[in-house]
């Protein structure tokens, strides 16, 4: 075993049931918990049924309906879409038959799986959590190694409590200094993705560190870990600190003694001072500005004050072709200021940016203002608990008075598997994580940005620098 | 799952970077509870026009490539959502192997679980291969997985692949069955792991 280890290697070593190779890179990895959703799990359960297998540890799984459910004000179990209905019916049957707890659409704790898992205290430092959704990386904010898996691996997990795993390389991302006023965690991760590219961390687990990360709230760290997958990282960690312990204190239900023992161990979960990383990237926090995407890949992002790039300036043929295609899809022309891009829709939601802090950040911008004529704004809280919290703080009124629709929780228009979709050609300022072609609806155009930037864009009716709106 | 040994077929160039799983398998094909009927969904917006007719401009609809068994792809293929439907669909469309420089992690694992070989070559090798397979007269390849070679009209290319993954593709292993042979080892690990971490052992359900 290596003398000095990174936090990532400690977590992997702690969960190694066995190695498959001499280099200790191919492993059978023990997984502490999972969360299941209705659309990536059905075939996994069918596989178990057909092979006559049971679930190894049903109490270590939670089912949450989040992707296909409508977000209209009045909740009912019936889905307007027969496919969604079939998936949720089968999900109910599977959770019941295999003894897995389910937060269905009418459950008071329903929400987006990654929001629910953290806010109910199911994610603890030192855990490994694998789940059938790529944004499982979110859990790194609490010092847990979370990563997305496919349906075959869900079946493997359910039957064995393990996954076969290839050890990743480690990438240390240090964000130095301090963020300027009005610069959000979303801007930090978008600046990173732009810097290293959409495949920049493929094959790596990221450890975020530095003064900016230390100063960042736990929810802010969730945002950056959540989006680390958009630069290819299959895991993103922040060493757990007192902020994390304070975040968890009232959520775990542990006895005082168990809590004390746990925290003592959790404090050791950090990279050794002389641990070697395979690669290091340093970002100067003071230079990060509010970011927006202009294209169809999350790395096609720029500071809001920039102009749409010119493909002709790109020397590489393949890259130039991709840029042209992105501009064509997005209906933009080279040289156009990003702040001149008019929007039709504003969406605040998703596992990236629909936690209570995100809603507060957007509401701060919207307080006492109205969104522009012709813009349709939607707020979809990350969970039912977030929704209730926001209502207790009066945020729902701020959103409604500004002209936003206040809706029920779910994944909603982040991936538009329910009835919340962009029409072809509609342009949306979005707090989500992906601006892929067709992501928010066939032919829809997505610009990613922080919740405050979405709010500002809704007010201006076009992409705009939220820092110009005094709060 | 079909095992993979030596496979010959036509290769089609698909050079775009960051082709994500939303494009490979659009969301409207994700409403099933089984793995059936996904071939139609593969790259649907690229393959078909607004009226659902094959778009003659797209490579897989052109004479010489309609029966492609291999795709030569751009970097970071399969990024985005964890949806395994993308891989199931590619297999149902008759795709046996992908040849590219980098693949997104979850997608790469999903390929391995479903008998879809994802070959990794250098950017230079991919650039030449893209030119080669864009010529309908020279777009046939043979992939020999045991020998780890890819034979083209221009010669032979060696590729590297993880030994366990190679074995899995050749032998068509039942991954769950193989792991369950280690059940005692997993149980022993689990007992020791939880004993050291009493705060996890309760496995408590949330009563929040």
């Amino acid at each position: 075993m290596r003398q000095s280890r990174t936090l990532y290697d400690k977590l992997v070593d702690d969960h190694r049931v066995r190695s498959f190779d001499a280099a200790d890179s191919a492993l059978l990895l023990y997984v502490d918990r999972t969360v299941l959703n209705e659309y990536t799990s059905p075939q996994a359960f069918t596989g178990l049924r057909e092979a006559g297998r049971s679930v190894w540890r049903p109490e270590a799984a939670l089912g949450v309906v989040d992707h296909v459910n409508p977000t209209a004000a009045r909740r009912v179990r019936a889905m307007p879409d027969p496919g969604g209905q079939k998936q949720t019916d089968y999900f109910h049957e599977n959770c019941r038959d295999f003894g897995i707890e389910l937060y269905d659409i009418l459950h008071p704790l329903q929400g987006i799986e990654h929001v629910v898992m953290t806010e109910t205290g199911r994610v603890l430092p030192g855990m490994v959590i694998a789940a059938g959704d790529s944004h499982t990386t979110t859990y790194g904010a609490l010092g847990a190694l979370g990563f997305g898996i496919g349906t075959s691996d869900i079946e493997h997990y359910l039957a064995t409590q393990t996954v076969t795993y290839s050890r990743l390389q480690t990438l240390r991302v240090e964000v130095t200094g301090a963020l300027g006023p009005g610069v959000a965690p979303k801007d930090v991760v978008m600046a990173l993705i732009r810097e290293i590219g959409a495949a920049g961390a493929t094959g790596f687990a990221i450890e975020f560190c530095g003064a900016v990360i230390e100063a960042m709230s736990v929810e802010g760290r969730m945002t950056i870990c959540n989006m680390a997958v958009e630069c290819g990282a299959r895991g993103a960690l922040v060493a757990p600190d007192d902020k994390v312990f304070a975040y968890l204190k009232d959520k775990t239900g542990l006895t005082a003694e168990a809590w004390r023992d746990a925290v003592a161990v959790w404090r050791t979960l950090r990279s050794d001072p002389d641990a070697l990383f395979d690669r290091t990237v340093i970002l100067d926090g003071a230079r990060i500005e509010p970011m927006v995407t202009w294209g169809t890949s999350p790395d096609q992002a720029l500071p809001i004050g920039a102009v749409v790039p010119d493909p002709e300036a790109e020397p590489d043929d393949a890259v130039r072709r991709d840029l042209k295609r992105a501009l064509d899809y997005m209906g933009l022309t080279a040289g156009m200021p990003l702040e001149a891009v008019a929007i039709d829709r504003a969406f605040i939601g998703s596992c990236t940016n629909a936690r209570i802090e995100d809603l507060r950040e957007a509401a701060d911008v919207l307080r006492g203002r109205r969104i522009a004529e012709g813009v349709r704004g939607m707020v979809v809280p990350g969970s039912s608990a977030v929704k209730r919290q926001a209502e207790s703080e009066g945020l729902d009124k701020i959103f409604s008075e500004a002209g936003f629709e206040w809706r029920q929780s779910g994944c909603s228009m982040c991936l538009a598997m329910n009835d919340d979709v962009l029409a072809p050609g509609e342009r949306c300022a979005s707090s989500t994580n992906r601006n892929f072609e067709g992501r928010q609806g066939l032919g829809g155009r997505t610009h990613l940005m922080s919740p405050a930037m979405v709010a500002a864009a809704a007010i201006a009716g076009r992409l705009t620098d939220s820092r110009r709106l005094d709060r | 799952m079909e095992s993979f040994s030596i496979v010959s077929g036509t290769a089609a160039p698909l050079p775009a970077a960051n082709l994500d799983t939303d494009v490979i398998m659009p969301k409207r094909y994700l409403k099933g509870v089984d793995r059936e009927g996904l071939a139609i969904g593969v790259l649907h917006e690229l393959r078909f026009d607004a009226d659902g007719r094959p778009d003659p401009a797209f490579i897989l609809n052109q004479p010489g490539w309609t029966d492609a068994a291999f795709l030569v792809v751009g970097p970071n293929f399969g990024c985005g959502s964890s949806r395994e439907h993308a891989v199931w669909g590619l297999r149902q469309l008759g795709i046996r192997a992908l040849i590219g420089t980098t693949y997104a992690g979850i997608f790469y694992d999903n390929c391995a679980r479903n008998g879809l070989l994802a070959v990794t070559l250098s950017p230079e090798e991919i650039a030449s291969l893209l030119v080669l397979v864009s010529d309908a007269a020279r777009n046939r390849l043979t992939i020999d997985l045991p020998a780890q070679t890819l034979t083209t009209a221009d010669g032979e290319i060696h590729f590297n692949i993880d030994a366990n993954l190679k074995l899995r593709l050749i032998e068509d292993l039942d991954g769950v069955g193989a792991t369950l042979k280690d059940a005692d080892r997993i149980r022993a690990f689990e007992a020791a792991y939880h004993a050291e971490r009493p705060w996890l052992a309760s496995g408590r359900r949330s009563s929040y």
Side-chain angles (χ1 to χ4, degrees), chain A residues 362-381:
Chain A
D364 276 349
V365 174
L366 291 170
R367 190 173 280 112
R369 294 190 165 103
R370 280 290 299 179
I371 65 177
E373 194 76 28
V375 172
R376 182 178 172 198
M378 287 170 59
V379 185
V380 176

Side-chain angles (χ1 to χ4, degrees), chain B residues 99-191:
Chain B
I99 306 161
T101 53
T102 55
Y103 305 89
I106 305 172
F107 181 84
Y108 187 79
D109 285 354
N110 287 341
C111 289
R113 313 300 187 237
N114 291 280
L116 182 61
L117 171 64
V119 175
T120 303
L121 296 178
S122 70
E124 296 72 26
E125 286 169 324
I126 292 297
S128 337
L129 205 51
L130 281 168
V131 173
L132 179 73
V133 305
S134 298
D135 177 352
R138 289 156 52 84
N139 66 0
R140 279 189 71 80
L141 311 175
T142 296
I143 297 180
D144 182 334
L145 179 57
Q148 295 179 212
T149 57
L150 189 158
T151 308
T152 72
D154 281 351
E156 195 174 277
I157 304 171
H158 180 81
F159 61 88
N160 291 318
I161 185 168
D162 170 81
N164 290 303
L165 177 53
K166 177 176 167 179
L167 194 67
R168 180 178 190 134
L169 285 161
I170 293 172
E171 296 194 350
D172 182 17
L173 291 174
D174 164 15
V176 177
T179 299
L180 283 173
K181 289 186 187 142
D182 273 332
D184 288 343
R185 197 185 320 213
I186 297 170
R187 262 188 287 274
F189 174 91
E190 186 170 53

